[in-house]
Amino acid sequence: MSQSGGQNLRLVLFGPPGAGKGTQAHLLRDKLNLAHISSGDLFRNNLNNKTPLGLKAAEYMNQGQLVPDEVTIDIVLDKVLSLNSAEGFILDGFPRNRNQAEVLEKALTQRSRNIDKVVHIDVSQEELVRRLGGRYICRDCQAPHNINAMDSTQKDPKCEQCGGELYQREDDRSEAVQRRIQVYNDETVPVLDFYRERDLLLDVSGLNTVVNVYQDVLSGLGI
Ligand code: AP5
Ligand code: MG
């Protein structure tokens, strides 16, 4: 590991749609003072600002398909490589295919950097579908919320982190969710072998409570 206490770590959070990558990334970011780089959040921020990149990405996202590498890789690598070597990061939702994993490894190696751990959060398909059906995210900070666990007496629930407006993602419609899970199984699961070969994988069950998953991640990282 790069440094005791977890600061400076370079992590990948890996797992199917709805596994809890965003939820855990927000907790780990705050605890370990890491930059949180989420490819999905970058696309949604661009879409909110109606940039050409956001509008292009949305064509794929709304169908539950991967955004092409020509669009995705540069925007994520720009963020990663803009950090100085002392800054750690959490990559959430990237890499999602073998080409992305290879390009990331090459770019980091050229700068004498590396990934410390790939945290693989696994959750059954049935539970993923259930979670995504109840997921609302913040329009401002993108923090995910489970609407079923929130105070049901509140008429218009707001983000628990920043007070922003909550909304349901377009790609959380059931047809898009099924497609996202299929794309994950077909295109993203093979990346696990890439990291297993490099002895970087940390497998964590995502079926526990948020706090228990968080504790399992920290103890798996030796923190
Ligand atoms: P992205 O935004 O990355 O979505 P995703 O990978 O499908 O994952 P989600 O954000 O849906 O789930 P999550 O794992 O973050 O779960 P969360 O914490 O929110 O990507 C969206 C799209 O962008 C892709 O489909 C693709 O089109 C494009 N894209 C992005 N990256 C790309 C790339 N690299 N290449 C190409 N295209 C790319 O939690 C879900 C719900 O469960 C929440 O309600 C939460 O409160 C709840 N929850 C979390 N943990 C628990 C728990 N332990 N117990 C109970 N409930 C829980
Ligand atoms: Mg997410």
Side-chain angles (χ1 to χ4, degrees), residues 16-23 39-40 43-44 61 65-67 72 93-94 96 100 131-132 135 144-146 169 180 206 208-210:
K21 301 182 296 295
T23 302
S39 40
F43 290 141
R44 282 182 291 275
M61 294 169 81
Q65 301 284 3
L66 294 188
V67 178
T72 305
F94 185 97
R96 251 175 156 97
Q100 292 180 7
R131 285 186 189 178
L132 292 175
R135 190 256 303 273
H145 294 67
N146 174 3
R169 274 169 44 177
R180 284 159 64 201
N208 291 323
T209 62
V210 170

PDB file of all heavy atoms in Angstrom, residues 16-23 39-40 43-44 61 65-67 72 93-94 96 100 131-132 135 144-146 169 180 206 208-210, ligand 1:
ATOM      1  N   PRO A  16     -21.164  -4.720 -10.391  1.00  0.00           N
ATOM      2  CA  PRO A  16     -22.292  -4.531 -11.304  1.00  0.00           C
ATOM      3  C   PRO A  16     -23.089  -3.274 -10.977  1.00  0.00           C
ATOM      4  O   PRO A  16     -22.935  -2.687  -9.903  1.00  0.00           O
ATOM      5  CB  PRO A  16     -23.130  -5.793 -11.084  1.00  0.00           C
ATOM      6  CG  PRO A  16     -22.751  -6.287  -9.735  1.00  0.00           C
ATOM      7  CD  PRO A  16     -21.324  -5.903  -9.529  1.00  0.00           C
ATOM      8  N   PRO A  17     -23.969  -2.864 -11.892  1.00  0.00           N
ATOM      9  CA  PRO A  17     -24.818  -1.696 -11.642  1.00  0.00           C
ATOM     10  C   PRO A  17     -25.656  -1.905 -10.390  1.00  0.00           C
ATOM     11  O   PRO A  17     -26.324  -2.929 -10.260  1.00  0.00           O
ATOM     12  CB  PRO A  17     -25.756  -1.659 -12.870  1.00  0.00           C
ATOM     13  CG  PRO A  17     -25.185  -2.576 -13.865  1.00  0.00           C
ATOM     14  CD  PRO A  17     -24.254  -3.509 -13.175  1.00  0.00           C
ATOM     15  N   GLY A  18     -25.570  -0.966  -9.462  1.00  0.00           N
ATOM     16  CA  GLY A  18     -26.361  -1.074  -8.231  1.00  0.00           C
ATOM     17  C   GLY A  18     -25.653  -1.800  -7.108  1.00  0.00           C
ATOM     18  O   GLY A  18     -26.220  -1.976  -6.020  1.00  0.00           O
ATOM     19  N   ALA A  19     -24.397  -2.203  -7.320  1.00  0.00           N
ATOM     20  CA  ALA A  19     -23.669  -2.955  -6.280  1.00  0.00           C
ATOM     21  C   ALA A  19     -23.355  -2.098  -5.066  1.00  0.00           C
ATOM     22  O   ALA A  19     -23.133  -2.609  -3.965  1.00  0.00           O
ATOM     23  CB  ALA A  19     -22.374  -3.513  -6.851  1.00  0.00           C
ATOM     24  N   GLY A  20     -23.286  -0.767  -5.268  1.00  0.00           N
ATOM     25  CA  GLY A  20     -22.938   0.119  -4.160  1.00  0.00           C
ATOM     26  C   GLY A  20     -21.601   0.808  -4.360  1.00  0.00           C
ATOM     27  O   GLY A  20     -21.011   1.312  -3.392  1.00  0.00           O
ATOM     28  N   LYS A  21     -21.120   0.879  -5.592  1.00  0.00           N
ATOM     29  CA  LYS A  21     -19.820   1.531  -5.854  1.00  0.00           C
ATOM     30  C   LYS A  21     -19.863   3.006  -5.432  1.00  0.00           C
ATOM     31  O   LYS A  21     -18.970   3.496  -4.747  1.00  0.00           O
ATOM     32  CB  LYS A  21     -19.455   1.447  -7.353  1.00  0.00           C
ATOM     33  CG  LYS A  21     -19.362   0.020  -7.882  1.00  0.00           C
ATOM     34  CD  LYS A  21     -18.954  -0.020  -9.349  1.00  0.00           C
ATOM     35  CE  LYS A  21     -19.935   0.603 -10.317  1.00  0.00           C
ATOM     36  NZ  LYS A  21     -21.239  -0.102 -10.407  1.00  0.00           N
ATOM     37  N   GLY A  22     -20.899   3.715  -5.884  1.00  0.00           N
ATOM     38  CA  GLY A  22     -21.011   5.137  -5.556  1.00  0.00           C
ATOM     39  C   GLY A  22     -21.160   5.354  -4.057  1.00  0.00           C
ATOM     40  O   GLY A  22     -20.522   6.245  -3.478  1.00  0.00           O
ATOM     41  N   THR A  23     -21.981   4.525  -3.422  1.00  0.00           N
ATOM     42  CA  THR A  23     -22.216   4.645  -1.973  1.00  0.00           C
ATOM     43  C   THR A  23     -20.902   4.476  -1.214  1.00  0.00           C
ATOM     44  O   THR A  23     -20.555   5.286  -0.341  1.00  0.00           O
ATOM     45  CB  THR A  23     -23.223   3.561  -1.522  1.00  0.00           C
ATOM     46  OG1 THR A  23     -24.423   3.732  -2.272  1.00  0.00           O
ATOM     47  CG2 THR A  23     -23.502   3.622  -0.035  1.00  0.00           C
ATOM     48  N   SER A  39     -16.797   7.712 -13.779  1.00  0.00           N
ATOM     49  CA  SER A  39     -17.052   7.966 -15.207  1.00  0.00           C
ATOM     50  C   SER A  39     -18.527   8.295 -15.434  1.00  0.00           C
ATOM     51  O   SER A  39     -18.863   9.216 -16.191  1.00  0.00           O
ATOM     52  CB  SER A  39     -16.611   6.772 -16.054  1.00  0.00           C
ATOM     53  OG  SER A  39     -16.930   5.552 -15.423  1.00  0.00           O
ATOM     54  N   GLY A  40     -19.424   7.581 -14.748  1.00  0.00           N
ATOM     55  CA  GLY A  40     -20.856   7.860 -14.919  1.00  0.00           C
ATOM     56  C   GLY A  40     -21.206   9.275 -14.461  1.00  0.00           C
ATOM     57  O   GLY A  40     -21.964   9.991 -15.134  1.00  0.00           O
ATOM     58  N   PHE A  43     -20.094  11.824 -17.035  1.00  0.00           N
ATOM     59  CA  PHE A  43     -21.035  11.897 -18.160  1.00  0.00           C
ATOM     60  C   PHE A  43     -22.308  12.643 -17.757  1.00  0.00           C
ATOM     61  O   PHE A  43     -22.814  13.484 -18.504  1.00  0.00           O
ATOM     62  CB  PHE A  43     -21.401  10.492 -18.653  1.00  0.00           C
ATOM     63  CG  PHE A  43     -20.281   9.770 -19.350  1.00  0.00           C
ATOM     64  CD1 PHE A  43     -20.082   8.406 -19.142  1.00  0.00           C
ATOM     65  CD2 PHE A  43     -19.430  10.429 -20.226  1.00  0.00           C
ATOM     66  CE1 PHE A  43     -19.056   7.727 -19.778  1.00  0.00           C
ATOM     67  CE2 PHE A  43     -18.393   9.763 -20.872  1.00  0.00           C
ATOM     68  CZ  PHE A  43     -18.214   8.403 -20.641  1.00  0.00           C
ATOM     69  N   ARG A  44     -22.851  12.319 -16.568  1.00  0.00           N
ATOM     70  CA  ARG A  44     -24.107  12.978 -16.146  1.00  0.00           C
ATOM     71  C   ARG A  44     -23.891  14.479 -15.909  1.00  0.00           C
ATOM     72  O   ARG A  44     -24.762  15.286 -16.222  1.00  0.00           O
ATOM     73  CB  ARG A  44     -24.685  12.293 -14.897  1.00  0.00           C
ATOM     74  CG  ARG A  44     -25.403  10.979 -15.222  1.00  0.00           C
ATOM     75  CD  ARG A  44     -26.023  10.333 -14.002  1.00  0.00           C
ATOM     76  NE  ARG A  44     -25.018   9.836 -13.084  1.00  0.00           N
ATOM     77  CZ  ARG A  44     -24.431   8.630 -13.199  1.00  0.00           C
ATOM     78  NH1 ARG A  44     -24.766   7.805 -14.168  1.00  0.00           N
ATOM     79  NH2 ARG A  44     -23.515   8.249 -12.328  1.00  0.00           N
ATOM     80  N   MET A  61     -25.898   5.676 -22.746  1.00  0.00           N
ATOM     81  CA  MET A  61     -26.274   5.412 -21.348  1.00  0.00           C
ATOM     82  C   MET A  61     -27.764   5.064 -21.233  1.00  0.00           C
ATOM     83  O   MET A  61     -28.139   4.150 -20.509  1.00  0.00           O
ATOM     84  CB  MET A  61     -25.980   6.636 -20.476  1.00  0.00           C
ATOM     85  CG  MET A  61     -24.507   6.928 -20.367  1.00  0.00           C
ATOM     86  SD  MET A  61     -24.187   8.528 -19.618  1.00  0.00           S
ATOM     87  CE  MET A  61     -24.354   8.142 -17.898  1.00  0.00           C
ATOM     88  N   GLN A  65     -26.011   0.815 -22.702  1.00  0.00           N
ATOM     89  CA  GLN A  65     -24.796   0.359 -23.401  1.00  0.00           C
ATOM     90  C   GLN A  65     -23.578   1.109 -22.887  1.00  0.00           C
ATOM     91  O   GLN A  65     -23.721   2.212 -22.350  1.00  0.00           O
ATOM     92  CB  GLN A  65     -24.915   0.671 -24.908  1.00  0.00           C
ATOM     93  CG  GLN A  65     -26.082   0.036 -25.599  1.00  0.00           C
ATOM     94  CD  GLN A  65     -25.872  -1.461 -25.857  1.00  0.00           C
ATOM     95  OE1 GLN A  65     -24.854  -2.029 -25.456  1.00  0.00           O
ATOM     96  NE2 GLN A  65     -26.838  -2.086 -26.484  1.00  0.00           N
ATOM     97  N   LEU A  66     -22.389   0.549 -23.106  1.00  0.00           N
ATOM     98  CA  LEU A  66     -21.172   1.287 -22.769  1.00  0.00           C
ATOM     99  C   LEU A  66     -20.991   2.444 -23.752  1.00  0.00           C
ATOM    100  O   LEU A  66     -21.259   2.304 -24.951  1.00  0.00           O
ATOM    101  CB  LEU A  66     -19.936   0.381 -22.847  1.00  0.00           C
ATOM    102  CG  LEU A  66     -19.839  -0.754 -21.828  1.00  0.00           C
ATOM    103  CD1 LEU A  66     -18.467  -1.418 -21.930  1.00  0.00           C
ATOM    104  CD2 LEU A  66     -20.085  -0.259 -20.411  1.00  0.00           C
ATOM    105  N   VAL A  67     -20.520   3.562 -23.246  1.00  0.00           N
ATOM    106  CA  VAL A  67     -20.135   4.689 -24.099  1.00  0.00           C
ATOM    107  C   VAL A  67     -18.821   4.277 -24.778  1.00  0.00           C
ATOM    108  O   VAL A  67     -17.955   3.665 -24.134  1.00  0.00           O
ATOM    109  CB  VAL A  67     -19.951   5.963 -23.231  1.00  0.00           C
ATOM    110  CG1 VAL A  67     -19.497   7.139 -24.073  1.00  0.00           C
ATOM    111  CG2 VAL A  67     -21.250   6.285 -22.488  1.00  0.00           C
ATOM    112  N   THR A  72     -14.806   7.838 -23.819  1.00  0.00           N
ATOM    113  CA  THR A  72     -14.675   7.604 -22.371  1.00  0.00           C
ATOM    114  C   THR A  72     -13.242   7.755 -21.852  1.00  0.00           C
ATOM    115  O   THR A  72     -13.015   8.386 -20.816  1.00  0.00           O
ATOM    116  CB  THR A  72     -15.166   6.172 -22.046  1.00  0.00           C
ATOM    117  OG1 THR A  72     -16.487   6.030 -22.544  1.00  0.00           O
ATOM    118  CG2 THR A  72     -15.138   5.901 -20.554  1.00  0.00           C
ATOM    119  N   GLY A  93     -16.429   2.858 -11.677  1.00  0.00           N
ATOM    120  CA  GLY A  93     -17.056   2.628 -12.987  1.00  0.00           C
ATOM    121  C   GLY A  93     -16.078   2.623 -14.146  1.00  0.00           C
ATOM    122  O   GLY A  93     -16.489   2.545 -15.294  1.00  0.00           O
ATOM    123  N   PHE A  94     -14.826   2.673 -13.870  1.00  0.00           N
ATOM    124  CA  PHE A  94     -13.758   2.626 -14.884  1.00  0.00           C
ATOM    125  C   PHE A  94     -12.580   1.876 -14.272  1.00  0.00           C
ATOM    126  O   PHE A  94     -12.222   2.189 -13.128  1.00  0.00           O
ATOM    127  CB  PHE A  94     -13.337   4.050 -15.267  1.00  0.00           C
ATOM    128  CG  PHE A  94     -12.331   4.111 -16.392  1.00  0.00           C
ATOM    129  CD1 PHE A  94     -12.736   4.332 -17.695  1.00  0.00           C
ATOM    130  CD2 PHE A  94     -10.975   3.924 -16.135  1.00  0.00           C
ATOM    131  CE1 PHE A  94     -11.814   4.380 -18.733  1.00  0.00           C
ATOM    132  CE2 PHE A  94     -10.052   3.962 -17.173  1.00  0.00           C
ATOM    133  CZ  PHE A  94     -10.473   4.200 -18.466  1.00  0.00           C
ATOM    134  N   ARG A  96     -14.027  -0.580 -17.589  1.00  0.00           N
ATOM    135  CA  ARG A  96     -15.214  -1.417 -17.787  1.00  0.00           C
ATOM    136  C   ARG A  96     -15.042  -2.400 -18.936  1.00  0.00           C
ATOM    137  O   ARG A  96     -15.966  -3.135 -19.255  1.00  0.00           O
ATOM    138  CB  ARG A  96     -16.383  -0.513 -18.137  1.00  0.00           C
ATOM    139  CG  ARG A  96     -17.419  -0.390 -17.046  1.00  0.00           C
ATOM    140  CD  ARG A  96     -18.422   0.635 -17.533  1.00  0.00           C
ATOM    141  NE  ARG A  96     -19.692   0.488 -16.930  1.00  0.00           N
ATOM    142  CZ  ARG A  96     -20.095   1.203 -15.888  1.00  0.00           C
ATOM    143  NH1 ARG A  96     -19.306   2.065 -15.306  1.00  0.00           N
ATOM    144  NH2 ARG A  96     -21.302   1.042 -15.431  1.00  0.00           N
ATOM    145  N   GLN A 100      -9.870  -0.580 -21.758  1.00  0.00           N
ATOM    146  CA  GLN A 100      -9.762   0.513 -20.770  1.00  0.00           C
ATOM    147  C   GLN A 100      -8.754   0.140 -19.679  1.00  0.00           C
ATOM    148  O   GLN A 100      -7.963   0.991 -19.238  1.00  0.00           O
ATOM    149  CB  GLN A 100     -11.132   0.807 -20.145  1.00  0.00           C
ATOM    150  CG  GLN A 100     -12.128   1.415 -21.131  1.00  0.00           C
ATOM    151  CD  GLN A 100     -13.483   1.716 -20.502  1.00  0.00           C
ATOM    152  OE1 GLN A 100     -13.672   1.605 -19.295  1.00  0.00           O
ATOM    153  NE2 GLN A 100     -14.438   2.094 -21.345  1.00  0.00           N
ATOM    154  N   ARG A 131     -32.521  -2.826  -5.815  1.00  0.00           N
ATOM    155  CA  ARG A 131     -31.875  -1.573  -5.372  1.00  0.00           C
ATOM    156  C   ARG A 131     -32.044  -0.452  -6.401  1.00  0.00           C
ATOM    157  O   ARG A 131     -32.321   0.689  -6.039  1.00  0.00           O
ATOM    158  CB  ARG A 131     -30.372  -1.798  -5.154  1.00  0.00           C
ATOM    159  CG  ARG A 131     -30.081  -2.560  -3.897  1.00  0.00           C
ATOM    160  CD  ARG A 131     -28.585  -2.629  -3.673  1.00  0.00           C
ATOM    161  NE  ARG A 131     -28.278  -3.538  -2.585  1.00  0.00           N
ATOM    162  CZ  ARG A 131     -27.064  -3.826  -2.184  1.00  0.00           C
ATOM    163  NH1 ARG A 131     -26.024  -3.280  -2.778  1.00  0.00           N
ATOM    164  NH2 ARG A 131     -26.864  -4.660  -1.181  1.00  0.00           N
ATOM    165  N   LEU A 132     -31.867  -0.791  -7.670  1.00  0.00           N
ATOM    166  CA  LEU A 132     -31.916   0.271  -8.684  1.00  0.00           C
ATOM    167  C   LEU A 132     -33.328   0.820  -8.827  1.00  0.00           C
ATOM    168  O   LEU A 132     -33.511   1.998  -9.133  1.00  0.00           O
ATOM    169  CB  LEU A 132     -31.364  -0.239 -10.026  1.00  0.00           C
ATOM    170  CG  LEU A 132     -29.857  -0.515  -9.990  1.00  0.00           C
ATOM    171  CD1 LEU A 132     -29.380  -1.127 -11.296  1.00  0.00           C
ATOM    172  CD2 LEU A 132     -29.068   0.760  -9.683  1.00  0.00           C
ATOM    173  N   ARG A 135     -33.509   3.624  -6.238  1.00  0.00           N
ATOM    174  CA  ARG A 135     -32.367   4.537  -6.139  1.00  0.00           C
ATOM    175  C   ARG A 135     -32.717   5.919  -6.732  1.00  0.00           C
ATOM    176  O   ARG A 135     -33.177   6.036  -7.864  1.00  0.00           O
ATOM    177  CB  ARG A 135     -31.171   3.924  -6.886  1.00  0.00           C
ATOM    178  CG  ARG A 135     -29.849   4.638  -6.667  1.00  0.00           C
ATOM    179  CD  ARG A 135     -29.403   5.498  -7.796  1.00  0.00           C
ATOM    180  NE  ARG A 135     -29.276   4.804  -9.038  1.00  0.00           N
ATOM    181  CZ  ARG A 135     -28.170   4.153  -9.425  1.00  0.00           C
ATOM    182  NH1 ARG A 135     -27.104   4.121  -8.679  1.00  0.00           N
ATOM    183  NH2 ARG A 135     -28.143   3.553 -10.597  1.00  0.00           N
ATOM    184  N   PRO A 144     -25.848   8.781  -4.160  1.00  0.00           N
ATOM    185  CA  PRO A 144     -27.004   7.900  -4.312  1.00  0.00           C
ATOM    186  C   PRO A 144     -27.797   7.759  -3.015  1.00  0.00           C
ATOM    187  O   PRO A 144     -27.220   7.762  -1.925  1.00  0.00           O
ATOM    188  CB  PRO A 144     -26.374   6.557  -4.694  1.00  0.00           C
ATOM    189  CG  PRO A 144     -24.954   6.620  -4.272  1.00  0.00           C
ATOM    190  CD  PRO A 144     -24.567   8.056  -4.094  1.00  0.00           C
ATOM    191  N   HIS A 145     -29.109   7.640  -3.129  1.00  0.00           N
ATOM    192  CA  HIS A 145     -29.997   7.452  -1.972  1.00  0.00           C
ATOM    193  C   HIS A 145     -30.937   6.294  -2.254  1.00  0.00           C
ATOM    194  O   HIS A 145     -31.289   6.055  -3.409  1.00  0.00           O
ATOM    195  CB  HIS A 145     -30.848   8.700  -1.727  1.00  0.00           C
ATOM    196  CG  HIS A 145     -30.057   9.898  -1.311  1.00  0.00           C
ATOM    197  ND1 HIS A 145     -29.170  10.525  -2.156  1.00  0.00           N
ATOM    198  CD2 HIS A 145     -30.016  10.575  -0.140  1.00  0.00           C
ATOM    199  CE1 HIS A 145     -28.605  11.543  -1.515  1.00  0.00           C
ATOM    200  NE2 HIS A 145     -29.098  11.593  -0.288  1.00  0.00           N
ATOM    201  N   ASN A 146     -31.349   5.633  -1.174  1.00  0.00           N
ATOM    202  CA  ASN A 146     -32.379   4.606  -1.306  1.00  0.00           C
ATOM    203  C   ASN A 146     -33.684   5.211  -0.801  1.00  0.00           C
ATOM    204  O   ASN A 146     -33.841   5.445   0.392  1.00  0.00           O
ATOM    205  CB  ASN A 146     -31.970   3.384  -0.468  1.00  0.00           C
ATOM    206  CG  ASN A 146     -33.064   2.345  -0.442  1.00  0.00           C
ATOM    207  OD1 ASN A 146     -34.112   2.503  -1.084  1.00  0.00           O
ATOM    208  ND2 ASN A 146     -32.827   1.276   0.291  1.00  0.00           N
ATOM    209  N   ARG A 169     -32.570   8.232 -12.192  1.00  0.00           N
ATOM    210  CA  ARG A 169     -31.803   8.196 -13.433  1.00  0.00           C
ATOM    211  C   ARG A 169     -32.599   7.563 -14.558  1.00  0.00           C
ATOM    212  O   ARG A 169     -33.306   6.582 -14.351  1.00  0.00           O
ATOM    213  CB  ARG A 169     -30.499   7.404 -13.212  1.00  0.00           C
ATOM    214  CG  ARG A 169     -29.382   8.241 -12.667  1.00  0.00           C
ATOM    215  CD  ARG A 169     -28.176   7.454 -12.203  1.00  0.00           C
ATOM    216  NE  ARG A 169     -27.718   6.386 -13.065  1.00  0.00           N
ATOM    217  CZ  ARG A 169     -26.638   5.652 -12.807  1.00  0.00           C
ATOM    218  NH1 ARG A 169     -25.907   5.888 -11.709  1.00  0.00           N
ATOM    219  NH2 ARG A 169     -26.273   4.682 -13.611  1.00  0.00           N
ATOM    220  N   ARG A 180     -28.003  -3.201 -18.797  1.00  0.00           N
ATOM    221  CA  ARG A 180     -26.754  -2.858 -18.102  1.00  0.00           C
ATOM    222  C   ARG A 180     -26.158  -4.092 -17.423  1.00  0.00           C
ATOM    223  O   ARG A 180     -24.935  -4.289 -17.431  1.00  0.00           O
ATOM    224  CB  ARG A 180     -27.016  -1.759 -17.064  1.00  0.00           C
ATOM    225  CG  ARG A 180     -27.187  -0.382 -17.704  1.00  0.00           C
ATOM    226  CD  ARG A 180     -27.922   0.571 -16.786  1.00  0.00           C
ATOM    227  NE  ARG A 180     -27.222   0.864 -15.560  1.00  0.00           N
ATOM    228  CZ  ARG A 180     -27.815   1.320 -14.455  1.00  0.00           C
ATOM    229  NH1 ARG A 180     -29.121   1.530 -14.445  1.00  0.00           N
ATOM    230  NH2 ARG A 180     -27.098   1.571 -13.394  1.00  0.00           N
ATOM    231  N   GLY A 206     -21.305  -7.493  -1.315  1.00  0.00           N
ATOM    232  CA  GLY A 206     -22.079  -6.251  -1.211  1.00  0.00           C
ATOM    233  C   GLY A 206     -23.462  -6.492  -0.651  1.00  0.00           C
ATOM    234  O   GLY A 206     -24.295  -5.585  -0.635  1.00  0.00           O
ATOM    235  N   ASN A 208     -24.249  -7.217   2.438  1.00  0.00           N
ATOM    236  CA  ASN A 208     -24.410  -6.738   3.812  1.00  0.00           C
ATOM    237  C   ASN A 208     -24.926  -5.303   3.823  1.00  0.00           C
ATOM    238  O   ASN A 208     -25.115  -4.694   2.776  1.00  0.00           O
ATOM    239  CB  ASN A 208     -23.062  -6.799   4.540  1.00  0.00           C
ATOM    240  CG  ASN A 208     -22.635  -8.231   4.773  1.00  0.00           C
ATOM    241  OD1 ASN A 208     -23.471  -9.072   5.055  1.00  0.00           O
ATOM    242  ND2 ASN A 208     -21.352  -8.496   4.632  1.00  0.00           N
ATOM    243  N   THR A 209     -25.112  -4.759   5.030  1.00  0.00           N
ATOM    244  CA  THR A 209     -25.529  -3.352   5.127  1.00  0.00           C
ATOM    245  C   THR A 209     -24.403  -2.454   4.610  1.00  0.00           C
ATOM    246  O   THR A 209     -23.239  -2.874   4.513  1.00  0.00           O
ATOM    247  CB  THR A 209     -25.788  -2.962   6.591  1.00  0.00           C
ATOM    248  OG1 THR A 209     -24.555  -3.126   7.297  1.00  0.00           O
ATOM    249  CG2 THR A 209     -26.879  -3.825   7.234  1.00  0.00           C
ATOM    250  N   VAL A 210     -24.757  -1.210   4.322  1.00  0.00           N
ATOM    251  CA  VAL A 210     -23.758  -0.248   3.811  1.00  0.00           C
ATOM    252  C   VAL A 210     -22.567  -0.165   4.767  1.00  0.00           C
ATOM    253  O   VAL A 210     -21.400  -0.208   4.345  1.00  0.00           O
ATOM    254  CB  VAL A 210     -24.409   1.150   3.636  1.00  0.00           C
ATOM    255  CG1 VAL A 210     -23.355   2.208   3.350  1.00  0.00           C
ATOM    256  CG2 VAL A 210     -25.460   1.122   2.526  1.00  0.00           C
TER     257      VAL A 210
HETATM  258  P1  AP5 B   1     -22.403   4.339 -13.767  1.00  0.00           P
HETATM  259  O1  AP5 B   1     -22.922   5.651 -13.325  1.00  0.00           O
HETATM  260  O2  AP5 B   1     -21.039   3.938 -13.425  1.00  0.00           O
HETATM  261  O3  AP5 B   1     -23.466   3.244 -13.307  1.00  0.00           O
HETATM  262  P2  AP5 B   1     -23.316   1.691 -12.910  1.00  0.00           P
HETATM  263  O4  AP5 B   1     -21.968   1.096 -13.006  1.00  0.00           O
HETATM  264  O5  AP5 B   1     -24.371   1.024 -13.706  1.00  0.00           O
HETATM  265  O6  AP5 B   1     -23.533   1.655 -11.415  1.00  0.00           O
HETATM  266  P3  AP5 B   1     -24.593   2.459 -10.592  1.00  0.00           P
HETATM  267  O7  AP5 B   1     -24.132   3.874 -10.425  1.00  0.00           O
HETATM  268  O8  AP5 B   1     -25.942   2.221 -11.155  1.00  0.00           O
HETATM  269  O9  AP5 B   1     -24.540   1.662  -9.209  1.00  0.00           O
HETATM  270  P4  AP5 B   1     -23.521   1.769  -8.000  1.00  0.00           P
HETATM  271  O10 AP5 B   1     -22.706   0.518  -7.962  1.00  0.00           O
HETATM  272  O11 AP5 B   1     -22.791   3.058  -8.002  1.00  0.00           O
HETATM  273  O12 AP5 B   1     -24.552   1.709  -6.790  1.00  0.00           O
HETATM  274  P5  AP5 B   1     -25.060   2.852  -5.784  1.00  0.00           P
HETATM  275  O13 AP5 B   1     -24.018   3.141  -4.772  1.00  0.00           O
HETATM  276  O14 AP5 B   1     -25.653   3.976  -6.543  1.00  0.00           O
HETATM  277  O15 AP5 B   1     -22.528   4.230 -15.354  1.00  0.00           O
HETATM  278  C1  AP5 B   1     -23.700   4.622 -16.007  1.00  0.00           C
HETATM  279  C2  AP5 B   1     -23.521   4.480 -17.505  1.00  0.00           C
HETATM  280  O16 AP5 B   1     -22.464   5.351 -17.959  1.00  0.00           O
HETATM  281  C3  AP5 B   1     -23.104   3.103 -18.008  1.00  0.00           C
HETATM  282  O17 AP5 B   1     -24.219   2.242 -18.162  1.00  0.00           O
HETATM  283  C4  AP5 B   1     -22.447   3.454 -19.333  1.00  0.00           C
HETATM  284  O18 AP5 B   1     -23.427   3.760 -20.311  1.00  0.00           O
HETATM  285  C5  AP5 B   1     -21.722   4.746 -18.999  1.00  0.00           C
HETATM  286  N1  AP5 B   1     -20.350   4.480 -18.508  1.00  0.00           N
HETATM  287  C6  AP5 B   1     -19.878   4.752 -17.259  1.00  0.00           C
HETATM  288  N2  AP5 B   1     -18.593   4.371 -17.163  1.00  0.00           N
HETATM  289  C7  AP5 B   1     -18.239   3.879 -18.368  1.00  0.00           C
HETATM  290  C8  AP5 B   1     -17.059   3.297 -18.880  1.00  0.00           C
HETATM  291  N3  AP5 B   1     -15.960   3.163 -18.112  1.00  0.00           N
HETATM  292  N4  AP5 B   1     -17.054   2.877 -20.163  1.00  0.00           N
HETATM  293  C9  AP5 B   1     -18.152   3.015 -20.948  1.00  0.00           C
HETATM  294  N5  AP5 B   1     -19.311   3.527 -20.527  1.00  0.00           N
HETATM  295  C10 AP5 B   1     -19.372   3.952 -19.240  1.00  0.00           C
HETATM  296  O19 AP5 B   1     -26.230   2.040  -5.016  1.00  0.00           O
HETATM  297  C11 AP5 B   1     -27.405   1.639  -5.700  1.00  0.00           C
HETATM  298  C12 AP5 B   1     -28.603   1.715  -4.732  1.00  0.00           C
HETATM  299  O20 AP5 B   1     -28.439   0.743  -3.713  1.00  0.00           O
HETATM  300  C13 AP5 B   1     -28.746   3.082  -4.008  1.00  0.00           C
HETATM  301  O21 AP5 B   1     -30.105   3.351  -3.829  1.00  0.00           O
HETATM  302  C14 AP5 B   1     -28.066   2.840  -2.658  1.00  0.00           C
HETATM  303  O22 AP5 B   1     -28.616   3.670  -1.646  1.00  0.00           O
HETATM  304  C15 AP5 B   1     -28.387   1.360  -2.417  1.00  0.00           C
HETATM  305  N6  AP5 B   1     -27.355   0.641  -1.671  1.00  0.00           N
HETATM  306  C16 AP5 B   1     -25.995   0.776  -1.797  1.00  0.00           C
HETATM  307  N7  AP5 B   1     -25.362  -0.079  -0.977  1.00  0.00           N
HETATM  308  C17 AP5 B   1     -26.333  -0.793  -0.340  1.00  0.00           C
HETATM  309  C18 AP5 B   1     -26.305  -1.836   0.639  1.00  0.00           C
HETATM  310  N8  AP5 B   1     -25.152  -2.336   1.100  1.00  0.00           N
HETATM  311  N9  AP5 B   1     -27.499  -2.333   1.080  1.00  0.00           N
HETATM  312  C19 AP5 B   1     -28.680  -1.847   0.599  1.00  0.00           C
HETATM  313  N10 AP5 B   1     -28.768  -0.837  -0.317  1.00  0.00           N
HETATM  314  C20 AP5 B   1     -27.603  -0.335  -0.786  1.00  0.00           C
END
